[in-house]
Amino acid sequence: MNIILLSGGSGKRLWPLSNDIRSKQFVRMLSDENGGFESMLERVYRQIAAMDSQARITIATGKKQVSLIKNQLGDKVSVCVEPCRRDTFPAVCLAASYLRDVQAVGEDESVVVCPVDPYVEASYFEALKEMAGMAAAGGANLYLMGIAPTYPSEKYGYIIPASTNRVSGVDTFREKPDAATAEKYIAQGALWNGGVFAFRLGYLLRKARELLDFTDYRDLDARYSEIKKISFDVAVAEQEKEIQVLRYEGQWKDLGTWNTFSEAMADYALGRVMLNETCENTHVVNELNIPILCMGCKDMVIAASNDGILISDKEQSSYIKPFVEQIEQQVMYVEKSWGSFTVLDVQEDSLTIKIALLPGHALHYHSHEHRDEVWTVMSGRGKAVIDGVWRNVAPGDVISMPAGCRHTVSADSELKIIEVQMGRDISVEDKQKYELPFQG
């Protein structure tokens, strides 16, 4: 089974835990099977693997999310990287070309496309498997999943099926309506459009060539920035005559706001939090190493991270995005494939961060032109390379690296380092990478 997971998002709706780099699907706040916490991405991967351990999973995403995906899933999935954002149709076309030209998937094989972050039961993935089977059988060119609505939502588009059968033709599509219009759609038997599609790979590639005029994956990748933004619904689904929709009536939640996300949290409090007995229906998430005390809070969500603090009525938390867009601040916490870093202090001529390097991982061998750096090892053990010279590092070690010095560090055990950057022009662009010299 071939599955393309679409992973996007601007990181605004679950601020301050999500940001421009760590979108909501990467935030670890859902309870896992072992009593710990997992992200939406990790949960969806686990559910797919439980349904089909041989499923071939490709995540279509932007450059900023690649390190996070590698951090959480390692090499368990393939990643197709969009050079820039161009909406769902170009993203699916690029991923489909990647499947054929890079992974050698046959054009007769079926492919299922779905979002990376639905909060669903196992039956959802069984429905995906059923859709893949129907697409492989060729009864229609395109299959959609329609979610049985539980209320007249204004957040989703609607599919009007041609009948009340579990698998039906499609009469028409409707854009996101107001609540009154949504009620009318539901009375007509409308289904929420869950953004799930199934098709034979060859069908989608033919559609892609018709509309985008490219030869192969490399050609499409090179010309990607020239493509106009267009959704898969508009480009393909709404134009297709041989189309059917599968009605899905299981649990399906879009955890796109703090209000809905808090409903999926196993506990009212995560992190260093105290709630007294007068608090009601209040959820608190604290990523800071300082306590939060709540008293008399009702129907509230409180979230604290290095990026900021949110204190909101639950209903009002759904309208957070335009306010977050007005906040201009450097991202303070980033997960990478090798670990993570947290910004501790920002001054005009210096930046202090805490690096957490995972065992067996290393930073690139690199230098900076416009800044000096000092590393102080807090915990763990590893090896550093300074201008070609290898040395062991341990807690208490201090290493100074003037501008132009080539350096890297690798972790034998989890390594935590305080890095102080000093200079007039501190920028992420000020980085030159090199091949690591052989250890003699």
Side-chain angles (χ1 to χ4, degrees), residues 131 142-146 159 170 173 196-198 237 243-246:
M131 290 174 67
L142 183 64
Y143 287 87
L144 311 178
M145 177 184 285
I159 301 169
V170 174
F173 294 84
V196 180
F197 322 102
I243 184 172
Q244 294 192 335
V245 59
L246 170 70

Side-chain angles (χ1 to χ4, degrees), residues 151-154 158 177-186:
Y151 66 98
S153 174
E154 303 172 63
Y158 285 77
D178 57 35
T181 305
E183 286 188 9
K184 294 178 182 179
Y185 291 163
I186 293 174

Side-chain angles (χ1 to χ4, degrees), residues 197-299:
F197 322 102
F199 45 77
R200 286 188 179 183
L201 181 59
Y203 162 79
L204 194 279
L205 290 173
R206 288 191 295 273
K207 286 289 183 183
R209 291 192 195 98
E210 288 175 12
L211 296 172
L212 302 182
D213 186 26
F214 68 100
T215 55
D216 57 16
Y217 168 72
R218 293 187 181 278
D219 182 40
L220 181 57
D221 182 73
R223 299 167 50 193
Y224 201 77
S225 62
E226 303 169 10
I227 300 171
K228 69 175 184 179
K229 294 183 179 181
I230 185 170
S231 71
F232 189 92
D233 283 336
V234 172
V236 180
E238 295 179 9
Q239 315 303 322
E240 180 56 58
K241 303 301 181 185
E242 298 296 322
I243 184 172
Q244 294 192 335
V245 59
L246 170 70
R247 179 186 296 268
Y248 175 70
E249 297 187 354
Q251 181 195 57
W252 182 88
K253 289 184 179 180
D254 175 18
L255 305 186
T257 67
W258 275 111
N259 196 13
T260 55
F261 201 103
S262 63
E263 294 175 1
M265 290 173 57
D267 301 303
Y268 283 103
L270 295 179
R272 296 185 64 185
V273 176
M274 294 177 62
L275 296 164
N276 81 342
E277 69 280 0
T278 64
C279 292
E280 298 177 9
N281 190 32
T282 291
H283 287 80
V284 186
V285 181
N286 183 13
E287 289 190 335
L288 302 177
N289 193 29
I290 55 175
I292 293 179
L293 171 61
C294 300
M295 305 177 69
C297 298
K298 295 177 173 58
D299 300 317

Side-chain angles (χ1 to χ4, degrees), residues 81-369:
V81 183
E82 285 186 278
C84 54
R85 290 185 180 179
R86 284 297 180 266
D87 214 330
T88 50
F89 176 63
V92 172
C93 292
L94 187 67
S97 299
Y98 176 87
L99 289 182
R100 187 197 62 181
D101 298 331
V102 178
Q103 298 201 323
V105 175
E107 294 195 10
D108 286 339
E109 292 190 44
S110 61
V111 178
V112 178
V113 179
C114 67
V116 75
D117 55 1
Y119 188 77
V120 291
E121 302 167 327
S123 59
Y124 175 89
F125 298 97
E126 293 298 334
L128 297 189
K129 193 172 185 178
E130 183 179 356
M131 290 174 67
M134 291 189 294
N141 288 330
L142 183 64
Y143 287 87
L144 311 178
M145 177 184 285
I147 314 296
T150 54
Y151 66 98
S153 174
E154 303 172 63
K155 297 189 296 182
Y156 312 122
Y158 285 77
I159 301 169
I160 312 294
S163 74
T164 58
N165 295 336
R166 183 167 176 269
V167 179
S168 167
V170 174
D171 188 11
T172 189
F173 294 84
R174 298 296 184 196
E175 294 300 319
K176 299 174 183 178
D178 57 35
T181 305
E183 286 188 9
K184 294 178 182 179
Y185 291 163
I186 293 174
Q188 299 173 37
L191 305 168
W192 286 337
N193 188 343
V196 180
F197 322 102
F199 45 77
R200 286 188 179 183
L201 181 59
Y203 162 79
L204 194 279
L205 290 173
R206 288 191 295 273
K207 286 289 183 183
R209 291 192 195 98
E210 288 175 12
L211 296 172
L212 302 182
D213 186 26
F214 68 100
T215 55
D216 57 16
Y217 168 72
R218 293 187 181 278
D219 182 40
L220 181 57
D221 182 73
R223 299 167 50 193
Y224 201 77
S225 62
E226 303 169 10
I227 300 171
K228 69 175 184 179
K229 294 183 179 181
I230 185 170
S231 71
F232 189 92
D233 283 336
V234 172
V236 180
E238 295 179 9
Q239 315 303 322
E240 180 56 58
K241 303 301 181 185
E242 298 296 322
I243 184 172
Q244 294 192 335
V245 59
L246 170 70
R247 179 186 296 268
Y248 175 70
E249 297 187 354
Q251 181 195 57
W252 182 88
K253 289 184 179 180
D254 175 18
L255 305 186
T257 67
W258 275 111
N259 196 13
T260 55
F261 201 103
S262 63
E263 294 175 1
M265 290 173 57
D267 301 303
Y268 283 103
L270 295 179
R272 296 185 64 185
V273 176
M274 294 177 62
L275 296 164
N276 81 342
E277 69 280 0
T278 64
C279 292
E280 298 177 9
N281 190 32
T282 291
H283 287 80
V284 186
V285 181
N286 183 13
E287 289 190 335
L288 302 177
N289 193 29
I290 55 175
I292 293 179
L293 171 61
C294 300
M295 305 177 69
C297 298
K298 295 177 173 58
D299 300 317
M300 295 182 67
V301 59
I302 299 167
S305 78
N306 287 284
D307 284 326
I309 298 173
L310 171 71
I311 302 170
S312 174
D313 170 79
K314 282 192 172 180
E315 183 179 355
Q316 286 298 309
S317 69
S318 300
Y319 308 102
I320 188 177
K321 186 175 181 179
F323 296 96
V324 175
E325 288 174 341
Q326 298 176 42
I327 298 173
E328 296 183 5
Q329 178 180 297
Q330 175 177 330
V331 173
M332 304 295 280
Y333 175 79
V334 176
E335 290 183 21
K336 307 288 283 185
S337 57
W338 44 259
S340 65
F341 71 82
T342 303
V343 177
L344 302 178
D345 184 67
V346 180
Q347 301 293 330
E348 183 177 353
D349 297 328
S350 70
L351 179 71
T352 303
I353 66 175
K354 180 173 69 175
I355 298 171
L357 194 60
L358 297 173
H361 288 73
L363 304 181
H364 289 290
Y365 190 49
H366 66 283
S367 68
H368 309 287
E369 181 179 355

